[in-house]
Amino acid sequence: MKTGSFPYAFFQDKIVNIEDAKVSIMTNALQYGTAFFGGIRGYYNEEKGFVSFFRIDDHYKRFLSSANIVGCEFPYNQEELKKITLELIAKNKPKANVYLRPFAYVGSTELGPNFANAKLDFSLHMIPLDDYMPTGKGLSVVVSSWQRISDNAIPTRAKISGGYANSALARKEATDGGFDEAILLNSKGHVSEGSAENLFLVRDGKLITPSVSEGVLEGITRRSIIEIATDMGIITIERSVERSELYVADEVFLTGTGCQVAWVEQVDRRSIGGGKIGKITEKLREKFFNTVRGDDDKYKNWTTRISVNA
Ligand code: PMP
């Protein structure tokens, strides 16, 4: 996927031109993956001239908890991060759907991977982003031969850059095999998640999703879907899921800031739900898109509208 960027980024404590937001090849984070990141979407409403950003506060809460997980001090608090974000958006005035990438990294050029005594640097950049994965069709996914990293190897509830080599290997295998996405099993052989998405099944009208102790990221979309479903009277069961349960599910879908709500048509070349989007997935997806665009009054407090007209 080729992406451009908006002209300004936050880098080394100030807003700069994106061309000036550069680090040395010796940077510790680049060499060893000693970094963590976030991802926030904004939805452009052309008619009304605003962008609706989804759950900024919750994204930064998780981002800051990653600093605690790696045991590093972080130079900004939640309020400061939000202020920086709003300033950068105001400067870039995006007239498109956007993706924000907060990034905390060990910026020193010292040799050797180490979070001890490491000072974290912070950057924030923005790219235009519509679909990260196809939303107009069902996905064909494959259970990966790569195992999902376990929390005792690289904590999975933080978005630690080094851990994404695991996702990249699984995605390569899936892409090479002609699939849209990989599903990873954890060290217990249970279903965990996609390379950058949480996973849901529908069975007998109920939602089932691997619990947070199955090596998954505690996804903000996952949490939102559970809450939206509950409000619609749909129960969610968080428990372990075995591979073959995917094959017998009525519906399977993936959630994430990137993929949003993406329905799965095939798992390991086995058709799910007759190859059509399921009723529950469709209902949740519709509600989700209205919510993120700020069109659903019930969930308005999840969105931050920023005018980009002037
Ligand atoms: N799992 C992983 C490994 C991810 O990288 C992501 C994307 N952040 C998700 C799940 C989905 O999380 P969220 O809904 O917070 O974007």
Side-chain angles (χ1 to χ4, degrees), residues 59 62 148 159 164 193 195-198 217 219-222 255-257:
H59 277 284
R62 182 177 69 191
R148 173 74 173 144
K159 288 170 68 69
Y164 279 81
E193 57 181 347
S195 70
E197 307 85 23
N198 292 112
L217 181 77
I220 289 167
T221 320
R222 174 186 184 276
T255 65
T257 300

Side-chain angles (χ1 to χ4, degrees), residues 9-12 21 63 74 101-105 121-125:
F10 185 86
F11 179 68
Q12 294 179 343
F63 185 74
F74 191 72
R101 169 50 61 84
F103 185 52
Y105 59 100
D121 284 327
F122 174 67
S123 70
L124 178 65
H125 71 272

